[in-house]
């Protein structure tokens, strides 16, 4: 785990294979995404390492309902009563009523590739197959989001999952893009702005089209769900994306 302050009050945590954010201001703090289930203790440690108490989180915001981003959500909800908030379109996924996840079969047919095989082993060790849905998650309202630390704004980007979003933090000029696009991934041999392998997307064509809609968004600090943070105009990162 590596924690870095990418903009004032915006702490980017690079976990073993998935990232999360802690956003802090005078009104308190929120968490954006929550790693794999086995990352829970790291999420707690990253919060306490900033002198904060996990029970004081105003909310945990979820960019999308994949298990490498919701792994701590049910625990925070059950243990601390933390509101778990996501887009209306993603709520059934986060609550466990729907599933939009890469299948074991999709992975297995590619497991002969060393990178995929190593990633598959990590997923198993990270307890992805035993992930607990956040059954008490709720859909956010724009005014509720705006009232939270960092004043997040949700940008719908369907394709990776039906209700996938990016979260703009306008005061910091930062954006949490989740998996709308990434800057690296265990099965990728390249670094820099890129789409995830198509097997990870519910609709690969829509995912790329949605990501390209970010071209007009003003942000210079890009915080992906996988890979390192980037400091460059968002339009430049989007221009580098390929199908």
């Amino acid at each position: 785990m590596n924690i870095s302050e990418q903009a004032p009050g915006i702490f980017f945590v690079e976990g073993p294979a998935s990232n999360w954010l802690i956003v802090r201001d005078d009104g308190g703090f929120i968490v954006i995404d929550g790693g794999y289930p086995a990352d829970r203790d790291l999420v707690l440690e990253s919060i306490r390492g900033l002198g904060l108490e996990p029970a004081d989180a105003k909310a945990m915001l979820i960019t999308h309902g994949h298990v490498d981003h919701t792994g701590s959500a049910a625990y925070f909800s059950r243990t601390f009563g933390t509101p778990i908030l996501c887009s209306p379109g993603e709520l059934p996924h986060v609550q466990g009523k729907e599933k939009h996840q890469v299948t074991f079969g999709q992975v297995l047919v590619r497991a002969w590739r060393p990178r995929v095989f190593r990633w598959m082993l990590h997923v198993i060790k990270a307890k992805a197959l035993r992930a607990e849905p956040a059954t008490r998650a709720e859909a956010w309202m724009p005014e509720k989001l705006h009232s939270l630390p960092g004043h997040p704004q949700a940008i719908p980007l369907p394709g990776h999952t039906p209700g996938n979003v990016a979260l703009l933090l306008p005061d910091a000029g930062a954006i949490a893009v989740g998996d709308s696009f990434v800057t690296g991934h265990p099965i990728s041999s390249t670094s820099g702005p890129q789409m995830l392998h198509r097997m990870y997307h519910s609709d690969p064509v829509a995912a790329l089209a949605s990501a390209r809609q970010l071209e007009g968004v003003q942000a210079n600090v890009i915080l992906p769900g996988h890979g390192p943070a980037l400091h460059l105009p968002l339009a430049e990162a989007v221009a580098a994306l390929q199908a």
Side-chain angles (χ1 to χ4, degrees):
M1 180 179 66
N2 180 59
I3 306 173
S4 57
E5 189 172 14
Q6 295 291 329
I10 311 297
F11 297 89
F12 181 62
V13 187
E14 296 179 80
S18 184
N19 305 330
W20 58 92
L21 298 175
I22 302 165
V23 179
R24 181 176 69 186
D25 66 15
D26 293 340
F29 77 96
I30 59 172
V31 182
I32 299 179
D33 288 341
Y36 279 98
D39 293 335
R40 185 188 73 192
D41 288 346
L42 292 178
V43 175
L44 296 171
E45 180 184 341
S46 66
I47 294 170
R48 293 182 174 125
L50 298 176
L52 304 169
E53 283 299 324
D56 294 336
K58 299 294 184 182
M60 178 180 285
L61 308 184
I62 303 297
T63 60
H64 64 286
H66 285 164
V67 297
D68 53 335
H69 296 261
T70 64
S72 301
Y75 174 84
F76 270 72
S77 176
R78 181 177 61 253
T79 305
F80 306 123
T82 308
I84 309 301
L85 304 178
C86 64
S87 74
E90 197 71 359
L91 186 60
H93 191 192
V94 175
Q95 291 180 333
K97 297 175 182 178
E98 296 179 0
K99 191 169 185 178
H100 305 280
Q101 189 88 30
V102 62
T103 67
F104 184 72
Q106 286 175 304
V107 175
L108 196 61
V109 298
R110 297 173 174 88
W112 59 272
R113 301 176 184 175
R115 288 180 180 272
V116 175
F117 184 74
R118 287 193 297 268
W119 172 79
M120 182 178 69
L121 291 181
H122 178 83
V123 166
I124 295 170
K125 292 178 181 178
K127 301 180 180 179
L129 302 179
R130 291 180 280 165
E132 180 185 358
T135 56
R136 290 187 285 180
E138 300 177 4
W140 55 46
M141 298 295 288
E143 58 270 21
K144 171 64 175 176
L145 278 183
H146 184 72
S147 71
L148 293 172
H151 308 298
Q153 298 175 9
I155 302 173
L157 301 171
H160 181 57
T161 62
N164 177 68
V165 303
L167 289 163
L168 180 66
L169 302 164
D171 296 344
I175 186 167
V177 297
D179 289 359
S180 302
F181 69 89
V182 299
T183 61
H185 189 269
I187 76 165
S188 174
S189 61
T190 62
S191 60
Q194 58 190 281
M195 300 299 294
L196 285 170
H197 190 284
R198 62 183 293 113
M199 71 176 172
Y200 294 112
H201 301 300
S202 295
D203 185 334
V205 174
L208 179 59
S210 288
R212 286 175 172 162
Q213 292 177 15
L214 292 171
E215 185 176 13
V217 177
Q218 297 302 308
N220 295 291
V221 181
I222 302 168
L223 306 169
H226 304 274
L230 293 178
H231 286 248
L232 80 166
L234 183 56
E236 291 186 19
V238 171
L241 300 177
Q242 302 291 327

